[in-house]
Structure formats: C-alpha cells, structure tokens
Amino acid sequence: MRIAEVTRNTRETRITVRVNLDGTGQSKLHTGIGFFDHMLDQIARHGMIDLDIHCEGDLHIDGHHSVEDVGITLGMAVAQAVGDKAGLTRYGHSYVPLDEALSRVVIDLSGRPGLHMDVKFTAGSIGQFDTQLTYEFFQGFANLALATVHVDNLKGHNAHHQAETIFKAFGRALRMATTPDPRSAGVIPSTKGSL
C-alpha cells in the first residue's frame, strides 16, 4: 500500500496529512477555509486518492500560511508515498471543463521541482479563499513532491469554476502520474536510472 502520513508543525501552522495513493477518493478535510476544503476534496475525488488533512493555522492573520503549508505537507506525503518511483507512469496530464471554464494540468514526477502557472482569476477571493493562494499551494506541493507542475486556465469567467477545473485537473493528472505502469514494473522511468 502506498500510504504516507506527515506531520509538520511551525509557529504558524500545525498540519497532519495522510495520503493513500491507491484509495477510492475518500477525504476528511479541516483547514478552516471552506472553499479550500472543497478544492482539496476535488483532488481526492478525481485523483482517487484517500486524503486526510487537518490544519490549525493562524487564520486570524489570513489564509496564506495555512494554504501554502498544506501544499508543502501534501507534497512531502506524496513524495514519501511514491518512494523511489520505480514502476510509475511518472507523467500525468488532464484537461477539465466546468461550464465556461477549461483548465489543463501537466505533472512530471521528475525529481526537479518547478511550478509554471498561467491563471488570471476573475475575482480576488472565493468565499474566504484568496485566489492568489492557489499559486502558493501548488508551489509548496511542487517543491516538496519534487515535481514539475504546469497549471493553465485556458478559459473561464467565473472564478469558482476556474479554481474547480484547476484542482480537478490536478487530481486527475496526479492520479495518472502515480499510477503503476505494468509494462515497467520495478523500473525507474528515467534514462538516468533515478528520479
């Protein structure tokens, strides 16, 4: 079973993340930011990843530390769960529409962290969620999962729809990238022999 649990405590946040990459899309989420929980649920459901996240953060300041640190901790947990990446598909991609919005996410579990994001949100916040923090979440994830992540919102007028297509596409791309490839069982998917 590809399961990992990571606890990360700082002066700003106290976070525990548990992932099961071979799950059924179940989630238990508590970050204190309702819309963010809704987006994390999209990752679980569409990624078929069981996800348990509990975050106590300094929300009296704003949501920045909580969102960024959840991304960091989730990245750590995914990196731990995939191990040496032997037999993985490695690459994942997905296009997801929601009404007028369309987003594309591409992931490479390359061992080289990098985020390339092109999203122009049409609103500064959705509920209590600052849309600028979407970047911080994915940056934290990419850095600690040691993944290259490309996130593009290709169309969209409604910020809720823009965000939802991004998180759904991310879940589906992550599912593809972490899926074992039966044709390369036990083989590191790189000409270098390591990732």
Side-chain angles (χ1 to χ4, degrees):
M1 296 294 287
R2 298 179 304 154
I3 295 171
E5 183 170 322
V6 174
T7 297
R8 183 176 187 272
N9 294 320
T10 71
R11 291 182 191 172
E12 299 164 340
T13 58
R14 290 164 305 287
I15 301 172
T16 299
V17 171
R18 185 175 191 274
V19 298
N20 177 357
L21 297 179
D22 301 307
T24 60
Q26 301 301 306
S27 64
K28 293 179 190 172
L29 306 164
H30 177 77
T31 65
I33 306 169
F35 185 76
F36 186 40
D37 286 350
H38 181 46
M39 294 300 97
L40 294 170
D41 190 39
Q42 303 305 323
I43 295 173
R45 298 291 173 107
H46 295 278
M48 295 300 287
I49 297 166
D50 290 346
L51 197 53
D52 191 338
I53 297 177
H54 185 84
C55 172
E56 294 176 21
D58 54 2
L59 296 180
H60 62 285
I61 296 173
D62 70 4
H64 189 287
H65 300 139
S66 293
V67 173
E68 179 180 32
D69 289 3
V70 165
I72 288 169
T73 312
L74 178 60
M76 294 168 70
V78 168
Q80 192 177 111
V82 296
D84 67 2
K85 304 174 190 168
L88 288 188
T89 300
R90 176 180 166 177
Y91 300 99
H93 59 87
S94 181
Y95 285 82
V96 170
L98 174 56
D99 297 341
E100 88 299 343
L102 174 65
S103 292
R104 172 184 61 214
V105 174
V106 183
I107 296 174
D108 177 8
L109 298 175
S110 60
R112 295 182 305 281
L115 173 64
H116 306 276
M117 186 166 159
D118 186 5
V119 179
K120 295 171 183 66
F121 281 107
T122 59
S125 62
I126 307 166
Q128 299 301 309
F129 181 78
D130 180 346
T131 54
Q132 294 181 91
L133 299 183
T134 306
Y135 181 91
E136 304 305 327
F137 170 79
F138 287 115
Q139 181 74 71
F141 175 86
N143 284 344
L144 276 297
L146 300 177
T148 302
V149 181
H150 287 252
V151 178
D152 297 289
N153 175 240
L154 305 174
K155 297 179 181 179
H157 301 296
N158 180 297
H160 186 129
H161 294 171
Q162 289 176 292
E164 193 161 330
T165 58
I166 289 165
F167 279 87
K168 285 178 176 176
F170 175 77
R172 293 190 66 82
L174 185 60
R175 176 182 175 182
M176 182 185 290
T178 59
T179 296
D181 181 349
R183 294 181 64 196
S184 63
V187 176
I188 302 291
S190 171
T191 56
K192 292 192 220 38
S194 67
L195 287 170

